[in-house]
Amino acid sequence: KVREFATATHATDPVHTDAEAAARAGFGRIPATLTHVVVAGHHRNQQEFVKALGLTIERVVVGSVEWDYARPVVAGDRLTGTRRVVDDITREGKRGGTMRLVTLETTWVDADGDTAVTQREVLIERGA
């Protein structure tokens, strides 16, 4: 899956698709691209998740996403993500109306319970 995602996202560094290139670069296994953990989002029901937050999916866009890596994620890792809401505010938009900004943080831990990646994203729901 690491190779598939690297290919699908047009990653050009061979460390993400070739075990020998990864080894030459000092990796024990093929490292995932830096955005690979977003794949997990495609394995949950986004509509139900957004609904549970009280958002209307038709009015939601992703405002930003950032990742803080404690270590590289490599092929074979079994990560478990725990997502929580860290901020939820409503404010006036620049053109009138309101915007709701929901900041989510997902901590991805490995089989030993050590954090590999912390992902933060802001969902923006524009007012009706």
Side-chain angles (χ1 to χ4, degrees):
K1 293 302 175 184
V2 169
R3 282 187 189 110
E4 287 176 20
F5 187 77
T7 300
T9 57
H10 304 284
T12 58
D13 190 335
V15 300
H16 301 296
T17 56
D18 182 324
E20 290 179 12
R24 284 192 301 274
F27 294 100
R29 292 175 279 159
I30 295 175
T33 60
L34 294 177
T35 60
H36 187 85
V37 292
V38 301
V39 170
H42 300 286
H43 296 282
R44 66 175 169 256
N45 186 328
Q46 287 292 83
Q47 290 185 355
E48 285 300 316
F49 173 75
V50 169
K51 184 179 176 182
L53 289 172
L55 300 167
T56 303
I57 198 163
E58 295 83 11
R59 297 193 328 241
V60 173
V61 296
V62 176
S64 65
V65 181
E66 62 183 51
W67 298 268
D68 181 21
Y69 278 81
R71 66 161 180 84
V73 172
V74 296
D77 276 341
R78 295 186 64 86
L79 302 180
T80 301
T82 302
R83 186 181 241 187
R84 64 189 181 99
V85 175
V86 295
D87 200 11
D88 187 347
I89 62 170
T90 301
R91 68 178 191 195
E92 291 296 318
K94 291 182 180 181
R95 300 181 200 164
T98 60
M99 294 188 319
R100 182 174 170 202
L101 292 92
V102 179
T103 304
L104 306 169
E105 183 175 274
T106 306
T107 303
W108 296 95
V109 299
D110 60 24
D112 295 325
D114 297 325
T115 298
V117 185
T118 302
Q119 177 182 345
R120 289 175 201 85
E121 57 193 306
V122 178
L123 302 180
I124 301 171
E125 180 186 49
R126 45 186 171 65

